[in-house]
Amino acid sequence: EVQLQASGGGSVQAGESLRLSCAFSGFTFERHSIGWIRQAPGKGREGVACTDYLGRTENIDARRFIISVDDAQNTAYLQLDNVQPDDAGVYTCAAGEICVLDYMYWGAGTLVTVSS
C-alpha cells in the first residue's frame, strides 16, 4: 500500500524559513517523481516543486524553495526560505511517474500559515 504523509507545517512570520517533510512507503523513489503541491484558502491547487530519480527538478521559485529526497530514509523535503503570506496554505506531497499535478498517489497535507 502506497502511503505519503506530510509534516512540518506550522505558523511562521514572513521572512522566516520552514522545512516540510514527506515520509513515503509502498514504493521506491527509483522510477518515480515526488512533488509538493499547495492549496491556499479559496484557491486551486498549485504545483510548488517536483523532482524525479534522475535529479530533474521543477520549481516555481528556486530562489526560495528547495526540494530534495533522501531515498535511503524514504523521505522527501521541501525547504521554504523567506516565506511570504502568499505561501500560506495546505502543502501536500504526492508521487507518480512524472511531474504533473495529476499524480498517482497523494498524501495528507500539512498546514502552513504566515503572519506578516
Side-chain angles (χ1 to χ4, degrees):
E1 179 186 6
V2 173
Q3 291 186 331
L4 300 103
Q5 178 64 59
S7 62
S11 181
V12 296
Q13 292 191 332
E16 293 184 338
S17 296
L18 198 64
R19 189 175 80 158
L20 308 180
S21 300
C22 172
F24 60 88
S25 61
F27 69 98
T28 57
F29 183 48
E30 184 177 349
R31 302 189 185 283
H32 284 86
S33 64
I34 294 178
W36 286 93
I37 305 92
R38 69 186 180 188
Q39 186 165 19
K43 296 186 178 180
R45 288 175 172 172
E46 177 183 31
V48 177
C50 179
T51 188
D52 68 14
Y53 69 102
L54 295 175
R56 296 174 296 197
T57 63
E58 297 179 6
N59 198 320
I60 62 170
D61 191 344
R63 299 169 302 171
R64 299 190 300 124
F65 305 149
I66 299 174
I67 184 172
S68 60
V69 177
D70 183 342
D71 52 358
Q73 296 295 323
N74 282 0
T75 303
Y77 301 97
L78 182 67
Q79 176 72 31
L80 306 171
D81 292 329
N82 189 23
V83 176
Q84 297 300 308
D86 285 348
D87 297 322
V90 175
Y91 283 71
T92 305
C93 55
E97 295 181 351
I98 58 175
C99 290
V100 291
L101 269 184
D102 188 20
Y103 289 95
M104 294 172 60
Y105 310 111
W106 291 79
T110 186
L111 179 64
V112 174
T113 59
V114 183
S115 56
S116 56

